[in-house]
Amino acid sequence: MYINSENLLPKLQGEAFGIDIEFSNKRICLIQISDGKDIYLFDPIALNLEQYMRDFFQNDAIKIFYSGAQDLKWLKTEYQIEVKNYCDLKVLAQKEPDQSLIALWKKYCGVQFERDDKKRLQKSDWFARPLSQEQLFYAALDCKHLVMLREILLQQYTDEEKKFIHFSTDLKEPKLLRYLKKQLGDNEDVLLPQKIYKHIKFQEPFQTDDQKIIGLIEQLTKKHHEDYKEQKKQRFLQFQEKFTTHKPVYSNCRIYSLSGLQLCFCDQKKIEWYVKNGLGEYLDEKSIKLNFDPVCEFDEKEMKFYNEERANRCVVCGASSNILKYQIIPYMYKHNLPNHYKSHRAHDVVIICARCHEKASALQDKKRAEVAQLYGVPLQYYGEEKKVVDKLNYILKKYDNLTKAGKPFDFAQYEEIRNQFKDLILLPAEFNKEELTQINEKLKKDLKNTHGETVVKKLDTDEKIEEFIMIFRKHFLLSMDPQFLPKEWAIDHRFKRNFGEKSIYFQKQEANEYKQELKEQEQQDIEK
């Protein structure tokens, strides 16, 4: 039964319940509860279930989960719920040769379910509505047989064992506990992955239940997490201090053509450049009139976009402090696009605040990973240069570790690497940590740039380039939901604007072409 309105909420009465929880988008999206006969799928997105679930999880019935440590944390985080009479079916199945839920379904319930399907459904989007029939079937199955399986598995235990089995863990690894005690005794921070907790043996006076074990691990790791949060906060403050500004980013200066047409808003440096080069004269301190008319034509939509005054606030949340520029199209790609796509970047360079920048950058990194897979170009180039970076990383790290330990470093290992890659890169004859670190950092940077260059080479038509650009524009809109973009901002913006041969853009392009000609001439002279 799917519960998405208050009048459908059942009275859950019984001695034991099978429970599972689905989680997406950093929140609980579905709670499945079965008394062994009926199955209830509660929709916490449609309903406020906090008090209802708190009453249920605090009653005397046994709450049966399968590997429920993460479920307990979700309930505690979102609803502040402590589960009373918690039973972990995976612990109960410790005498089984295969303790997986799929194996238990097959052996005792006659249910055949593929592992790949289970993994796929576990990772599906449980926040989206409506849920698919496949999702609902899987969600119901996850809790349907837990009550029956508990009764079957209990038969494997003696009456004495049954007194403790609901709340015990696998007590077969005392070595880890001794390690933990030593770490604590030495006042060292301990960070345990969640998967390790089930391997801890808590001997007297530490014989306790799963929840208390989880609590103890949380206590052991609390200082580590607090320190981590503090370090993360300090990194953010350093970023904010170094890269953001409280001053206006847009100076909103105006450029007029010779015939008096307003061409655009721009920054102070641009109008100073035109005046300095004798291409225009000041009308006032924030506007100039060019002594020529542009050779290109602009449509009405284009004129509206470039003649819209820019607000000095975050385009996402509207904050006006700690702001900085953000590139919607990552620089690693934009830098390698043809010049006519870089003639004017105002459309894809927006202002956001430091907080929104942190989120946008993380999401953009994920999108770049998707793009890497889509175009079949790894984010890091896995060629011979990558091998050099890996070997140098290894050597430099080993050198540091041995030096700290007061042990000698075998410089012959460096000589082997130097000889191995002598045809690819010239490494210094003598080991020099500072110099090698600089070389390694440059190689890493070059490798990073290789990805963007290789992807752009695959975009061999204007149509492909524009489709690629729109991937990131759409991603920015969907992931950040910006509320303060310029009115004329558009996903399908295709303006390739310049002011002809007298523009900054044209002269930069001309200079780059001249440099390229010199390089080609120099190469021809060498070959001769």
Side-chain angles (χ1 to χ4, degrees):
M1 183 176 182
Y2 190 74
I3 313 295
N4 60 357
S5 66
E6 290 188 6
N7 61 352
L8 294 175
L9 288 172
K11 281 190 175 182
L12 295 173
Q13 296 177 333
E15 295 182 358
F17 293 89
I19 301 161
D20 189 51
I21 294 174
E22 306 302 340
F23 191 86
S24 287
N25 285 24
K26 299 183 179 179
R27 64 165 297 175
I28 294 174
C29 297
L30 195 69
I31 301 174
Q32 307 99 275
I33 299 177
S34 171
D35 59 8
K37 296 179 181 178
D38 297 318
I39 301 170
Y40 304 96
L41 306 180
F42 294 87
D43 187 344
I45 295 174
L47 293 170
N48 182 355
L49 294 170
E50 185 172 343
Q51 188 57 51
Y52 181 88
M53 289 300 169
R54 186 177 290 117
D55 293 341
F56 168 71
F57 283 110
Q58 283 297 303
N59 70 27
D60 291 331
I62 293 173
K63 321 300 186 305
I64 309 163
F65 293 75
Y66 180 85
S67 191
Q70 192 64 56
D71 296 331
L72 294 180
K73 289 188 177 183
W74 291 335
L75 288 169
K76 186 174 181 180
T77 301
E78 190 159 341
Y79 293 150
Q80 295 76 54
I81 287 175
E82 297 283 353
V83 178
K84 184 178 180 181
N85 289 344
Y86 166 80
C87 173
D88 192 333
L89 196 70
K90 187 169 186 179
V91 174
L92 201 60
Q94 60 187 291
K95 294 187 178 183
E96 290 288 328
D98 187 342
Q99 299 167 15
S100 69
L101 189 55
I102 285 181
L104 297 175
W105 283 343
K106 183 177 180 180
K107 183 175 181 180
Y108 295 113
C109 309
V111 175
Q112 183 78 36
F113 205 86
E114 295 297 327
R115 293 181 187 274
D116 289 344
D117 289 337
K118 193 173 194 308
K119 287 181 181 179
R120 174 176 57 82
L121 286 163
Q122 278 178 330
K123 295 177 180 179
S124 63
D125 186 358
W126 292 95
F127 184 79
R129 291 296 183 271
L131 295 171
S132 69
Q133 288 300 311
E134 187 182 29
Q135 284 177 305
L136 294 173
F137 173 79
Y138 166 75
L141 181 63
D142 248 1
C143 70
K144 180 178 180 180
H145 301 292
L146 297 183
V147 174
M148 181 182 73
L149 285 171
R150 171 182 166 272
E151 293 172 357
I152 292 171
L153 295 173
L154 273 175
Q155 296 173 17
Q156 300 175 358
Y157 295 87
T158 66
D159 291 340
E160 188 63 27
E161 287 174 324
K162 288 177 185 179
K163 294 177 183 179
F164 307 100
I165 194 62
H166 299 307
F167 316 106
S168 66
T169 57
D170 185 358
L171 307 181
K172 296 180 180 178
E173 193 60 56
K175 195 178 292 185
L176 183 55
L177 178 62
R178 291 198 295 270
Y179 166 75
L180 292 178
K181 287 181 178 178
K182 182 179 183 303
Q183 297 292 92
L184 290 173
D186 294 340
N187 293 318
E188 294 184 27
D189 292 336
V190 180
L191 177 62
L192 291 176
Q194 178 198 340
K195 64 182 180 182
I196 290 180
Y197 91 89
K198 64 178 181 287
H199 298 303
I200 302 173
K201 177 172 181 174
F202 287 90
Q203 297 173 327
E204 293 292 340
F206 294 101
Q207 283 188 336
T208 183
D209 61 51
D210 263 289
Q211 291 185 75
K212 290 181 181 177
I213 290 173
I214 294 167
L216 181 57
I217 292 174
E218 287 176 345
Q219 181 183 342
L220 295 176
T221 60
K222 185 177 180 181
K223 186 176 185 303
H224 175 92
H225 290 307
E226 287 175 351
D227 289 348
Y228 173 76
K229 286 179 181 177
E230 182 60 28
Q231 290 169 8
K232 189 176 179 181
K233 178 182 176 182
Q234 290 303 318
R235 286 197 300 269
F236 174 77
L237 291 175
Q238 288 171 6
F239 169 84
Q240 185 172 269
E241 178 68 25
K242 185 175 181 180
F243 295 105
T244 68
T245 178
H246 292 280
K247 298 178 181 179
V249 175
Y250 296 126
S251 48
N252 285 313
C253 296
R254 301 169 191 261
I255 296 180
Y256 293 90
S257 69
L258 180 63
S259 56
L261 177 68
Q262 181 175 320
L263 298 174
C264 66
F265 281 98
C266 67
D267 60 27
Q268 190 75 34
K269 287 183 179 178
K270 182 172 282 189
I271 65 172
E272 289 174 357
W273 185 90
Y274 279 107
V275 173
K276 180 182 177 182
N277 286 275
L279 301 173
E281 59 184 31
Y282 283 108
L283 297 176
D284 56 50
E285 62 179 13
K286 294 191 69 174
S287 60
I288 63 168
K289 184 176 182 180
L290 300 177
N291 56 23
F292 63 93
D293 280 321
V295 293
C296 53
E297 296 181 359
F298 310 123
D299 63 31
E300 184 180 349
K301 187 176 180 182
E302 183 176 2
M303 292 301 293
K304 282 183 179 179
F305 175 79
Y306 287 110
N307 283 317
E308 184 179 348
E309 191 169 355
R310 299 289 184 260
N312 286 288
R313 65 183 178 187
C314 173
V315 298
V316 177
C317 69
S320 57
S321 60
N322 295 316
I323 53 177
L324 69 160
K325 290 183 178 179
Y326 174 77
Q327 298 205 40
I328 294 174
I329 315 301
Y331 177 79
M332 61 165 50
Y333 306 118
K334 189 86 172 183
H335 174 70
N336 292 290
L337 289 174
N339 280 329
H340 59 275
Y341 281 97
K342 296 185 288 187
S343 62
H344 207 293
R345 298 179 301 164
H347 186 272
D348 294 313
V349 179
V350 295
I351 288 181
I352 59 179
C353 68
R355 285 291 176 198
C356 291
H357 187 281
E358 185 177 40
K359 179 183 176 182
S361 296
L363 292 171
Q364 192 182 77
D365 286 346
K366 290 182 180 179
K367 195 64 184 177
R368 286 193 297 112
E370 291 177 17
V371 166
Q373 190 171 6
L374 178 65
Y375 286 89
V377 182
L379 281 171
Q380 279 196 324
Y381 178 66
Y382 292 93
E384 290 298 307
E385 291 88 348
K386 181 67 167 57
K387 291 180 182 178
V388 178
V389 169
D390 288 343
K391 288 288 182 75
L392 286 179
N393 278 337
Y394 170 75
I395 286 291
L396 290 167
K397 188 174 181 179
K398 188 171 184 179
Y399 174 80
D400 280 342
N401 291 339
L402 289 172
T403 303
K404 288 176 183 177
K407 297 178 181 179
F409 172 69
D410 183 6
F411 290 99
Q413 294 183 49
Y414 169 68
E415 189 61 28
E416 288 177 12
I417 292 175
R418 185 172 174 269
N419 290 330
Q420 180 182 352
F421 298 111
K422 63 183 179 181
D423 295 331
L424 185 67
I425 183 171
L426 183 63
L427 295 175
E430 301 293 331
F431 180 91
N432 182 306
K433 183 188 171 185
E434 287 72 24
E435 188 177 355
L436 287 172
T437 301
Q438 289 178 1
I439 291 172
N440 209 29
E441 290 304 313
K442 185 179 184 305
L443 277 172
K444 287 179 184 178
K445 187 176 180 181
D446 292 343
L447 287 174
K448 187 177 179 181
N449 291 339
T450 301
H451 166 78
E453 183 181 351
T454 308
V455 169
V456 171
K457 282 180 180 178
K458 290 175 175 276
L459 312 174
D460 51 7
T461 66
D462 280 356
E463 184 179 1
K464 288 181 181 179
I465 291 173
E466 287 162 6
E467 286 176 359
F468 179 80
I469 287 172
M470 282 190 276
I471 288 175
F472 286 97
R473 289 178 182 164
K474 288 177 182 177
H475 174 70
F476 182 70
L477 277 187
L478 293 173
S479 62
M480 297 302 294
D481 189 25
Q483 300 297 307
F484 302 95
L485 279 170
K487 290 179 182 177
E488 299 299 328
W489 193 94
I491 288 178
D492 59 351
H493 168 91
R494 290 185 174 85
F495 312 146
K496 306 167 190 174
R497 193 179 210 222
N498 65 72
F499 291 161
E501 8 180 280
K502 295 182 180 179
S503 70
I504 295 176
Y505 162 70
F506 183 87
Q507 296 197 16
K508 282 184 177 177
Q509 179 181 359
E510 198 174 52
N512 289 335
E513 289 173 354
Y514 178 66
K515 287 179 183 177
Q516 184 62 32
E517 286 177 9
L518 286 178
K519 282 184 180 179
E520 291 174 359
Q521 185 62 48
E522 186 178 352
Q523 184 63 35
Q524 289 173 6
D525 292 342
I526 291 172
E527 290 173 358
K528 288 178 182 178

